[in-house]
Amino acid sequence: MPETTATQRVRTVLFYGFLAILAWMVFLVLEPFLTPLVWAAVLVILFYPWHQRLERHWRPTQSALVSTVVVTTILIVPALFVMTGFVHQALGTLADIEVGGFAGHIDRLNRMWTWLAIHLHGGPAIDLTSLARNTAERATTMLAGELGGVVRQFLLFLFDLLIAIIAMFYFFRDAGSIMAWLRRLLPFGAAQRERMIDEAHDLVFVTVASSLAGAGLAGLVGGLAFFVVGIHRVIFWGVVTAFSSLLPFVGSWIIWVPAAMWLLAEGHPGRAIALLAICSVTVAGIDYVLRPAMIGRMRMNGLLVLIGVLGGIAVFGLIGLVLGPVILATATSMLRTYTLPAASHGSSEGATSPVIE
């Protein structure tokens, strides 16, 4: 006896309901590993052209192993070394901030600040010594309370790092089959599908190069500048400079300008001028010239790039620097494909939209 229409609808609803539940359960299983998996995918995308050259001479497993070892050696091991040095020097920096010594170093800066407040503002200035003392005490108390959490997060970072390295090997080895599956999954014509893949690849490459590589270069140059002028714990200050360089519309000047003021307050005007000169030419050039020039290579509208970066960081953390713009670009490409007339899909490769430059 043939099934009725109502029975067919029930079976269809049950099928898609089961599919939705299965997809949700798969997400729950993968969710703890999404961050290392995405980072592994990003690194594979960046190094895949080099990996393809290895595949011409070696087997897939051998070339994947070599590529994984190379990426781990030139990127992950130095990053782990820098992170370990940063934590060690950060603890040392906080340990140096003692009430007596800190107040003694800041007295001259406090007098300069008071003079400026009286002559420019006409009123009493904030007591920088008391403010610095209270800030140091709060930072020390917070650090002591969060020390267990810091250790736990470091262990989780090591676990995620191991997952990312293992995932890189499989992504390198199975990249061809993964891309073939992705092409079958995308419900578009061949031309639109390839355009979306190319745009996503370009966005990942340019975003990582402009944001992460730019921040790393700014941190390296900033750390060297701090070393030249005699400021100790250069790894700590270099990492702080790199992270501040990621802040949109701000940049790393919020680190090296106060550092120059500190040198001036300690009676080292030559060092202060040298730090300002070096950082204003090199670090500021990276923040405000090199990175905007690299971002300008992307075909996305500048506003969407900014929203994608900020929203991505807010939702996904540091990996949002890459995921945010890629998600917006993919959504834009899908909307453009669906809104174009069907007859023009094959001839609209060069078409633009209000959000694509």
Side-chain angles (χ1 to χ4, degrees):
M1 181 178 179
E3 293 183 344
T4 63
T5 303
T7 304
Q8 292 177 349
R9 289 177 179 175
V10 171
R11 292 173 66 90
T12 301
V13 170
L14 289 176
F15 170 77
Y16 284 108
F18 172 77
L19 192 62
I21 295 174
L22 182 62
W24 175 249
M25 294 178 68
V26 170
F27 171 78
L28 292 179
V29 172
L30 294 178
E31 195 270 338
F33 309 100
L34 286 181
T35 298
L37 290 177
V38 172
W39 275 119
V42 168
L43 293 176
V44 169
I45 290 173
L46 294 178
F47 286 88
Y48 193 71
W50 177 81
H51 172 74
Q52 285 180 309
R53 300 176 185 174
L54 293 180
E55 287 187 321
R56 299 171 187 169
H57 305 284
W58 293 342
R59 295 178 179 179
T61 301
Q62 295 174 333
S63 57
L65 181 61
V66 172
S67 296
T68 303
V69 171
V70 169
V71 175
T72 302
T73 302
I74 67 176
L75 287 184
I76 297 180
V77 171
L80 187 61
F81 170 78
V82 170
M83 182 178 178
T84 304
F86 169 76
V87 173
H88 176 73
Q89 293 189 5
L91 294 175
T93 301
L94 287 178
D96 288 344
I97 304 178
E98 298 179 357
V99 175
F102 192 80
H105 284 296
I106 207 172
D107 278 342
R108 185 177 301 176
L109 184 61
N110 194 29
R111 290 195 298 269
M112 293 173 56
W113 177 257
T114 303
W115 185 89
L116 289 174
I118 293 175
H119 288 78
L120 298 181
H121 186 264
I126 299 174
D127 187 357
L128 293 183
T129 304
S130 300
L131 180 62
R133 183 186 298 111
N134 294 333
T135 302
E137 291 175 353
R138 292 178 182 178
T140 305
T141 303
M142 182 184 67
L143 179 63
E146 296 294 332
L147 186 58
V150 170
V151 174
R152 183 174 64 254
Q153 291 298 323
F154 184 72
L155 293 177
L156 290 176
F157 168 77
L158 293 179
F159 177 75
D160 287 346
L161 189 61
L162 178 62
I163 296 297
I165 294 174
I166 296 174
M168 271 197 304
F169 169 77
Y170 287 101
F171 287 165
F172 274 125
R173 192 191 68 176
D174 304 328
S177 58
I178 292 174
M179 291 307 301
W181 173 80
L182 181 61
R183 286 183 170 89
R184 291 194 302 267
L185 184 65
L186 292 175
F188 305 107
Q192 288 77 24
R193 184 172 59 231
E194 295 304 317
R195 183 182 61 200
M196 290 179 61
I197 293 175
D198 290 341
E199 288 179 353
H201 174 272
D202 292 342
L203 275 171
V204 169
F205 187 85
V206 176
T207 303
V208 171
S210 63
S211 297
L212 298 184
L217 183 59
L220 176 62
V221 175
L224 291 176
F226 277 63
F227 175 76
V228 168
V229 299
I231 297 180
H232 302 295
R233 296 191 172 92
V234 294
I235 295 180
F236 170 77
W237 292 113
V239 172
V240 171
T241 301
F243 275 100
S244 63
S245 178
L246 294 173
L247 299 176
F249 302 112
V250 177
S252 57
W253 67 267
I254 61 173
I255 302 298
W256 47 268
V257 169
M261 294 177 60
W262 180 271
L263 289 173
L264 183 63
E266 285 194 325
H268 303 293
R271 296 181 183 180
I273 295 174
L275 182 62
L276 287 176
I278 295 173
C279 292
S280 61
V281 173
T282 58
V283 181
I286 296 171
D287 287 342
Y288 303 111
V289 178
L290 180 61
R291 181 177 302 144
M294 298 181 69
I295 293 178
R297 292 178 51 194
M298 290 188 288
R299 294 172 56 198
M300 279 187 69
N301 180 276
L303 177 61
L304 276 188
V305 174
L306 175 62
I307 294 175
V309 170
L310 296 180
I313 294 176
V315 175
F316 303 106
L318 186 60
I319 193 63
L321 285 169
V322 179
L323 280 184
V326 169
I327 290 174
L328 287 185
T330 303
T332 299
S333 184
M334 292 179 66
L335 289 175
R336 181 177 56 191
T337 300
Y338 277 117
T339 54
L340 286 174
S344 64
H345 281 177
S347 61
S348 60
E349 297 307 307
T352 59
S353 68
V355 292
I356 301 290
E357 293 179 343

